[in-house]
Amino acid sequence: MKILVIHGPNLNLLGSRETGVYGAETFDSLNARIVSLCAELGMDVEIFQSNSEGGIVDAVQGRKYDLLVINPAAYTHTSIALRDAIAAVGKPAIEVHISNIYRREDFRKHSYISGVAVGQISGLGPEGYLLALRAAQTILSK
Ligand code: DQA
């Protein structure tokens, strides 16, 4: 079982970026927790971050994986291309947001991705990624 975790634009700045919204945990610390939980759950994992929409579409299309955990960040609200890539590949995808996108600005309340995702976790902080990984294991073991 191989999980691809994709972090969208600006998530590489976790730990210094708007800490009141996204918390103080650094990007490296979050990724270390992702790697450690995947090892515990017996799943292979690859982590990819890009600030570019095309780079993320290429990763969705080109990497080998059984399930995608993706925080599309701002592309959540803008990217039909990313939605189409997830639909085209046809692998299960779990959408994660650190903040609760429904409690923020109106433009964040619409996700182009949720319609092609198995489910969405929003507002539970970085923990949301770890919950998504546990859900991934359940989904893949069915
Ligand atoms: C985010 C929410 C998005 O609206 C925002 O553009 C992000 C991060 C989150 O994890 O809460 O960059 O996806």
Side-chain angles (χ1 to χ4, degrees):
M1 277 192 284
K2 163 105 184 265
I3 309 297
L4 177 63
V5 175
I6 295 183
H7 302 285
N10 302 307
L11 292 170
N12 54 312
L13 300 179
L14 283 178
S16 61
R17 171 194 187 200
E18 295 181 89
T19 52
V21 177
Y22 299 112
E25 183 169 14
T26 65
F27 185 60
D28 287 347
S29 163
L30 170 58
N31 286 334
R33 291 208 291 150
I34 288 170
V35 167
S36 156
L37 181 60
C38 284
E40 190 186 306
L41 297 176
M43 304 190 298
D44 294 330
V45 66
E46 178 180 351
I47 299 172
F48 175 80
Q49 192 274 333
S50 177
N51 294 322
S52 121
E53 185 176 13
I56 295 171
V57 168
D58 285 344
V60 168
Q61 288 185 13
R63 310 285 165 124
K64 295 270 176 279
Y65 56 93
D66 300 301
L67 185 147
L68 176 65
V69 171
I70 183 164
N71 183 345
Y75 294 134
T76 306
H77 319 297
T78 62
S79 184
I80 298 170
L82 179 54
R83 178 196 176 103
D84 285 353
I86 293 169
V89 168
K91 301 284 185 194
I94 302 175
E95 179 184 353
V96 174
H97 298 286
I98 295 167
S99 65
N100 181 348
I101 59 173
Y102 303 101
R103 289 184 64 170
R104 300 182 63 193
E105 301 94 331
D106 282 347
F107 66 83
R108 294 187 203 275
K109 290 181 180 154
H110 177 259
S111 167
Y112 279 105
I113 308 308
S114 55
V116 293
V118 178
Q120 185 198 68
I121 296 170
S122 176
L124 300 182
E127 209 62 30
Y129 288 88
L130 307 179
L131 294 167
L133 293 170
R134 292 188 186 279
Q137 192 194 41
T138 303
I139 291 163
L140 291 175
S141 62
K142 277 186 185 152

